[in-house]
Amino acid sequence: MLVNCVVYKEGRKVADIEKRQISDYLKQPGVFVWVAMKDPSDEEVLEMQEEFDLHELAAEDARHGHQRPKIEEYGSGLFVVLNTIELTATDELKVGEVDIFVGPNYILSIRHRTERGFQDVRTRAEREPELLRHGSGFVLYALMDTIVDRYFPVLDAIEADLEHAEDQLFAGGGSPRANVE
């Protein structure tokens, strides 16, 4: 599903555009296109492959998901795969993936199996046109930084669970078997 498809010039939003317009805007000097997708169909990824002229192997990886974290270079573009982790309402860990295609004048992010999007990243970037003026490189940095920052609350929750288990284990009382379980 397409979440956002926006064109920027000199760090400022020009317009929301249709996906079929992407390749036209990519031909214009001084602009870059930022597209965000969530759990797209194979057909949608193929459309993006055509619009952005993405490498076939990278597009195939994005269609299938379940990739290991990596950065691959294809000509003047990069393909970046990052894992996300979220706590569900029942405090279970849910692992997702973000595939990011980066070129000199575009960035395409595709989220798989993750609910939390990056609208906050886009909003913050649009408030800081002097940074957004750096284009796709800045957006890649902002997305990666946000994904890493989202690990910290999960790590804090795991640490709290471990401390609670440790307290129960060493508090005494109960059977040793129950403490271990």
Side-chain angles (χ1 to χ4, degrees):
M1 163 178 69
L2 183 68
V3 176
N4 288 348
C5 187
V6 182
V7 63
Y8 297 87
K9 186 169 188 165
E10 296 186 22
R12 301 207 182 273
K13 181 176 178 177
V14 173
D16 291 300
I17 60 172
E18 299 293 321
K19 22 183 199 184
R20 58 182 161 61
Q21 296 176 291
I22 292 170
S23 57
D24 295 332
Y25 275 98
L26 292 177
K27 295 173 188 169
Q28 296 181 20
V31 301
F32 86 95
V33 177
W34 183 355
V35 176
M37 302 183 85
K38 180 184 184 300
D39 297 318
S41 67
D42 287 351
E43 293 77 25
E44 289 174 309
V45 175
L46 289 170
E47 285 177 323
M48 292 297 108
Q49 179 182 355
E50 186 176 314
E51 287 296 318
F52 287 105
D53 192 26
L54 303 174
H55 193 276
E56 185 177 331
L57 293 176
E60 182 179 329
D61 284 352
R63 279 196 313 274
H64 297 109
H66 299 288
Q67 297 295 309
R68 61 179 168 71
K70 62 183 174 180
I71 297 177
E72 294 179 336
E73 187 176 0
Y74 292 100
S76 64
L78 295 176
F79 177 58
V80 180
V81 178
L82 302 168
N83 287 337
T84 61
I85 193 156
E86 299 172 339
L87 282 174
T88 66
T90 59
D91 286 339
E92 293 184 39
L93 296 177
K94 181 179 177 185
V95 178
E97 179 178 311
V98 179
D99 301 327
I100 306 171
F101 295 89
V102 186
N105 58 346
Y106 68 86
I107 189 152
L108 164 64
S109 66
I110 300 176
R111 291 186 289 135
H112 297 280
R113 301 171 314 281
T114 182
E115 294 305 314
R116 195 160 176 203
F118 298 104
Q119 184 58 47
D120 54 335
V121 175
R122 188 181 297 269
T123 301
R124 187 177 70 235
E126 288 177 354
R127 278 195 315 255
E128 302 182 62
E130 66 282 354
L131 293 175
L132 194 53
R133 185 174 286 129
H134 295 287
S136 56
F138 168 72
V139 176
L140 175 62
Y141 161 78
L143 290 171
M144 292 174 74
D145 185 56
T146 298
I147 290 169
V148 169
D149 285 350
R150 290 179 181 176
Y151 271 74
F152 292 112
V154 174
L155 292 172
D156 290 344
I158 292 170
E159 182 180 19
D161 287 348
L162 288 173
E163 287 175 357
H164 178 70
E166 185 180 85
D167 289 345
Q168 286 183 322
L169 184 63
F170 293 113
S175 71
R177 179 151 186 91
N179 285 336
V180 169
E181 288 177 5

